[in-house]
Every structure is written in C-alpha cells, then in structure tokens.
Amino acid sequence: IGNLILGIYTSFLGYIGSSTGLSTHLLARFSFGTKGSWLPSALLGGTQVGWFGVGVAMFAIPVQKATGIDTNTLIIVSGLLMTGTVYFGIKALMVLSAIAVPAIAILGGYSVLTAVDSVGGLEQLQLIKPETPMDFSMALAMVVGSFVSAGTLTADFVRFGKKPASAVLITMVAFFIGNSLMFIFGAAGAAATGQADISDVMIAQGLLLPAIIVLGLNIWTTNENALYASGLGLSNITGRSSTTMSIINGIIGTIFALWLYNNFVGWLTFLSLAIPPIGGVIIADFFANRKRYKDFAKAEFQTVNWAGIIAVAIGVAAGHFLPGVVPINAVLGGAISYLVLNPLINKNAMKSQTA
C-alpha cells in the first residue's frame, strides 16, 4: 500500500517533469515564487544530504561487523568515493544503475529463495510473527517516508524524457514494483533469520561477499541520486554550480553520517510529514494553471508566493494532527489549501497571467 501511494504520487510529478522539461526546483518557482522556491529547495536538498549520510553509515557499519575494519575509516573512504562519482553527473548515475540493478535483483532474489527454503516453505514463512508488531499507520508512514523525499524530486530525473506517458510508466514501475521488491527482499530474510538489515541477513545466510556487493551497489546508486538532487536544490538557492554543491553536500553528509544513522526512525517520520506537502502544492499549481508552464523563459514569477508557503505549513499540520495516513493527509492538505489560498491571496497576479 505504501509503495502504491508512492507510485501514484511520483507518477504525477513524473508527468509534470516530462511535460515541462523542468527540474523540481524550477517547477517550484511557479507555485512558491523565485525566492519562495528556496524553501522547497532547502527542505528537499537538505533531506537528500541527510539520506546520503544515512546511506554511508548503512554501508560502513555492517561491513565493519563482517570485516573488522574501523567504522570511521569505512565512512570516510566510502563517503569520498560516492561523492567523487557525482562529479560525472547523470551519465555516471546511468552507468552505475545499469550495473547495480541487475546485480541487486539477482542476489536479492537468491537471498529470498534461501530464506524461504530455510524455514520450510512460503507457508511457514508467513506464520512467523514479530515479537513487537508495528502499528499499521506507523509502518505505512515509514514505507512512504523511506522514499518520499527522493520521490518528490522525480522531475529531476525524468525531465529529459520525450513522452510524459513513458515517464509515468517508468516512475510507477520504479516506485511501486521496484521498491516493493526491495522491501520483500528485506522482509523475507528478516523473518527467517531474525536480522533487521539485508546485509546482516545475507551474512547470516553465508553470503558475505554478495552481501557487501549488494549493499555497496544499492547504497551507491541511492546516494548518487541523493547528491545529484541535493546539488540542484542548493544551486537554486546559492546560484553556484550544482556539481560544486553536490560535492560540498557529500562532504557534509559524510561528516554527520553516524548521527543521522542513529536518528533514522525519527528521520523517516520527519520526511513523511514535511516533504509531501511540497509535492502536493507543485501538482496542484500545475493542473490548475497549466498554461503558465508552456514557456518557462517568458513566465513571470512572484518573489515569494505566500499561498505556497502557507499551504506547506497547513499540509504539515494536516499530516501531524488529522487521523489517517500521515503522508496522504500531508499531500492533500498542501494541495487543497493551495487551491483555496492561491486565488484569494494572488487575485491581481492571476488576472494578469490570464489576460
């Protein structure tokens, strides 16, 4: 359910990105204003730096357990290597993904089969229950929170696509099917071995080298995406090269890796609450004012569109206080409040745009 929510949410953003050819941060100028777009850029860019740090620690800690190499040394080396790759931009991401995706699918699939076989079949695996079950709404928020930050940045990666329909299909496959498979890889092994981390699961299954390969490739691709996206966001604020900002962000994420890792659950909860309203506002503005997006070079922007800023705050409040699923409440709260507030706050601006 969580990955289906992610798939639908990101498909809207993928459609917008491919239709306009604009990054998330340029799209945000329509609904937040030129300087108002610094808010989503700061939130999205900052969270991606955080994800990078979490990813570096997620690689270093299990590898330390398996090899005995100092954790801090692993963090520094892996963080710098991952940061170095982002210098080559989107082409490096494509090459790395072409290697990583098949390897992860094969090794992860083998781990699932091993887990099922070790407990006596699929029926026996389904009978295993956790000692401390997690509340459904909390679990759903964590699933959505795990990728909602990157998902909100979908436009950054599919804006080069020629057909919006293809962008929607690719996005749905990636977030609904691909992400679901990753959760299955982890859940099956965790149930069979009692280990919470996929690398620990594979080590327990006697797959030490494959575990390091899968872990390294998975985190490397995720972290490259995180740095690339964070660079675009902070470039929008500072005016500096996105590559330069990506490298700076990689160094910052590496320094704070352990702290971010130790606050991981709180991090996911924050993401599921704070990020979705931004996507909700962008989606609402695009479909309400689609004609404005036809020619970015000629578009006129406010300095700050307070309707967008206030809508994000309302979306966060809706996610926090209303009953139900946090990310859905946050997206809808942001989108609906924006559709109500924007015509009220910007009557004159909207008249000039339609004139």
Side-chain angles (χ1 to χ4, degrees):
I1 294 173
N3 286 319
L4 178 60
I5 293 170
L6 274 174
I8 294 170
Y9 171 68
T10 55
S11 291
F12 275 108
L13 293 166
Y15 177 84
I16 295 169
S18 182
S19 297
T20 62
L22 300 174
S23 71
T24 304
H25 310 285
L26 295 181
L27 289 170
R29 293 185 184 184
F30 289 93
S31 46
F32 291 91
T34 307
K35 292 186 177 179
S37 69
W38 292 1
L39 172 66
S41 290
L43 278 172
L44 291 166
T47 54
Q48 289 304 294
V49 176
W51 258 122
F52 177 86
V54 169
V56 170
M58 279 185 166
F59 173 76
I61 291 171
V63 173
Q64 188 278 328
K65 291 178 184 177
T67 64
I69 300 172
D70 179 64
T71 303
N72 290 321
T73 301
L74 288 167
I75 286 175
I76 293 169
V77 172
S78 59
L80 291 177
L81 283 173
M82 292 175 190
T83 301
T85 314
V86 82
Y87 175 79
F88 299 99
I90 198 73
K91 290 182 179 179
L93 291 179
M94 293 173 67
V95 172
L96 200 57
S97 297
I99 298 169
V101 172
I104 292 168
I106 293 168
L107 295 172
Y110 181 78
S111 175
V112 170
L113 293 175
T114 302
V116 172
D117 185 63
S118 69
V119 296
L122 189 59
E123 291 183 2
Q124 294 299 314
L125 185 69
Q126 292 173 331
L127 294 175
I128 299 173
K129 294 183 178 180
E131 293 181 7
T132 53
M134 185 179 291
D135 178 71
F136 177 78
S137 60
M138 177 65 174
L140 198 59
M142 287 186 69
V143 170
V144 176
S146 69
F147 253 97
V148 74
S149 178
T152 303
L153 293 159
T154 297
D156 294 351
F157 302 98
V158 301
R159 60 195 164 116
F160 303 109
K162 294 180 180 179
K163 296 181 180 179
S166 299
V168 170
L169 177 62
I170 291 168
T171 304
M172 182 60 79
V173 169
F175 282 93
F176 178 45
I177 299 176
N179 224 33
S180 294
L181 284 174
M182 294 302 294
F183 274 88
I184 290 169
F185 290 163
T193 64
Q195 301 292 333
D197 192 285
I198 183 62
S199 59
D200 291 334
V201 168
M202 296 182 75
I203 290 169
Q205 292 173 333
L207 302 170
L208 175 60
L209 184 58
I212 293 174
I213 292 171
V214 167
L215 185 67
L217 289 173
N218 186 19
I219 289 175
W220 203 316
T221 53
T222 302
N223 273 3
E224 290 307 293
N225 284 311
L227 284 188
Y228 173 74
S230 72
L232 291 175
L234 296 183
S235 174
N236 182 49
I237 298 172
T238 64
R240 295 193 174 204
S241 157
S242 61
T243 301
T244 300
M245 295 311 302
S246 293
I247 292 170
I248 293 171
N249 292 341
I251 294 169
I252 294 170
T254 301
I255 292 171
F256 290 100
L258 280 176
W259 181 85
L260 290 162
Y261 179 83
N262 290 329
N263 293 276
F264 184 54
V265 174
W267 182 248
L268 289 185
T269 304
F270 166 76
L271 291 180
S272 70
L273 184 66
I275 301 302
I278 294 172
V281 169
I282 291 173
I283 292 167
D285 187 76
F286 176 80
F287 287 104
N289 306 294
R290 194 164 180 171
K291 290 181 180 178
R292 291 187 65 205
Y293 290 77
K294 288 184 177 180
D295 192 342
F296 180 80
K298 295 181 180 179
E300 295 181 0
F301 304 107
Q302 296 173 263
T303 303
V304 177
N305 182 4
W306 288 103
I309 306 293
I310 296 169
V312 169
I314 293 173
V316 170
H320 184 70
F321 293 109
L322 294 181
V325 181
V326 171
I328 294 178
N329 290 345
V331 170
L332 294 179
I336 294 170
S337 58
Y338 180 80
L339 291 174
V340 173
L341 290 170
N342 195 46
L344 294 175
I345 295 175
N346 300 304
K347 285 182 180 179
N348 293 333
M350 292 186 75
K351 284 180 182 177
S352 66
Q353 289 165 13
T354 54

